[in-house]
Amino acid sequence: DGGITQSPKYLFRKEGQNVTLSCEQNLNHDAMYWYRQDPGQGLRLIYYSQIVNDFQKGDIAEGYSVSREKKESFPLTVTSAQKNPTAFYLCASSPRGAGSSYNEQFFGPGTRLTVL
Amino acid sequence: GDSVTQMEGPVTLSEEAFLTINCTYTATGYPSLFWYVQYPGEGLQLLLKATKADDKGSNKGFEATYRKETTSFHLEKGSVQVSDSAVYFCALKVSNDYKLSFGAGTTVTVRA
């Protein structure tokens, strides 16, 4: 079945540690996205990538980094510079990036990160 | 900038009650509009969408009509079930933008 997988589902880290969240898709989508979700808030965009080897900052990129070496993979690293990293992180993909208003985004199941 | 405002929750209903979640938007371009649903502990799933004025999106008994004159996309369901308990997000995307803009989400709880 085609879809988006995120691992792990739950992640714990100590303050000062970097941690990498995995996102893989087999939908052959060009664009991929990382969102952060906090209680009572909508989703906020962290980074997005429209093609391999290219990515752009979203609204809240500080303290995060990404890479896009393969079309199907878009890992997110939460660095120690992120002041409040405890949140639910959602990865998404879409067939094309900007330029089409009809494209919906498909979401993975999410990773809940807790900083101890 | 582009933004979405949806009614605050939480909303608690009895089974078979009528559900309405209001959503209004502000957009610089001509947006497509979406409703996503998030069940506990899961990611978001697309519930329905509309891409132009007066379009009606529908799925699983839910409906929403794209009203350009009132910049609204209210979600409705005539008879809710316990399984409809979830968080519902209204979102928009304009054609020259890369991202979805989300509302804050509305938590709906349906009691038997």
Side-chain angles (χ1 to χ4, degrees):
Chain A
D1 288 335
I4 302 174
T5 57
Q6 292 186 241
S7 62
K9 188 171 180 64
Y10 299 96
L11 189 57
F12 299 88
R13 78 152 216 219
K14 295 180 180 179
E15 280 193 43
Q17 290 182 336
N18 293 354
V19 61
T20 298
L21 282 60
S22 170
C23 177
E24 304 278 332
Q25 54 99 359
N26 61 2
L27 300 168
N28 199 33
H29 286 171
D30 292 307
M32 297 186 75
Y33 311 81
W34 274 105
Y35 291 91
R36 171 181 171 137
Q37 184 180 15
D38 295 286
Q41 298 188 37
L43 279 67
R44 294 182 289 168
L45 183 67
I46 304 172
Y47 268 97
Y48 70 102
S49 168
Q50 297 189 51
I51 56 172
V52 174
N53 293 323
D54 185 57
F55 49 83
Q56 284 80 40
K57 294 180 179 180
D59 300 321
I60 56 165
E62 185 175 352
Y64 300 98
S65 66
V66 294
S67 62
R68 188 84 187 276
E69 298 177 359
K70 298 185 296 182
K71 186 176 183 178
E72 60 270 21
S73 178
F74 191 41
L76 173 74
T77 297
V78 184
T79 75
S80 57
Q82 169 50 233
K83 299 304 179 186
N84 185 21
T86 295
F88 191 50
Y89 291 87
L90 288 158
C91 179
S93 70
S94 65
R96 289 186 295 276
S100 169
S101 64
Y102 307 122
N103 283 328
E104 65 203 59
Q105 292 182 11
F106 297 80
F107 284 81
T111 292
R112 185 166 299 280
L113 173 65
T114 302
V115 174
L116 304 173
Chain B
D2 302 329
S3 66
V4 175
T5 302
Q6 61 181 103
M7 65 183 282
E8 294 185 12
V11 174
T12 302
L13 303 166
S14 298
E15 261 192 324
E16 300 183 2
F18 185 86
L19 171 67
T20 298
I21 304 176
N22 290 340
C23 171
T24 57
Y25 67 88
T26 302
T28 53
Y30 195 163
S32 291
L33 301 173
F34 306 86
W35 276 101
Y36 281 85
V37 59
Q38 184 179 34
Y39 299 104
E42 298 183 9
L44 274 66
Q45 302 174 24
L46 180 68
L47 183 59
L48 53 84
K49 66 181 180 182
T51 58
K52 61 183 186 294
D54 300 324
D55 267 3
K56 177 186 284 188
S58 61
N59 186 27
K60 299 181 180 180
F62 290 89
E63 293 184 340
T65 300
Y66 190 140
R67 300 288 187 197
K68 188 178 181 184
E69 64 276 13
T70 55
T71 62
S72 65
F73 193 53
H74 305 322
L75 182 69
E76 297 181 337
K77 185 173 185 180
S79 177
V80 293
Q81 305 300 313
V82 172
S83 58
D84 293 324
S85 298
V87 182
Y88 294 83
F89 292 93
C90 186
L92 69 81
K93 184 177 183 293
V94 294
S95 59
N96 61 347
D97 201 355
Y98 51 84
K99 67 177 183 179
L100 287 169
S101 296
F102 286 89
T106 302
T107 299
V108 173
T109 301
V110 180
R111 295 184 172 168

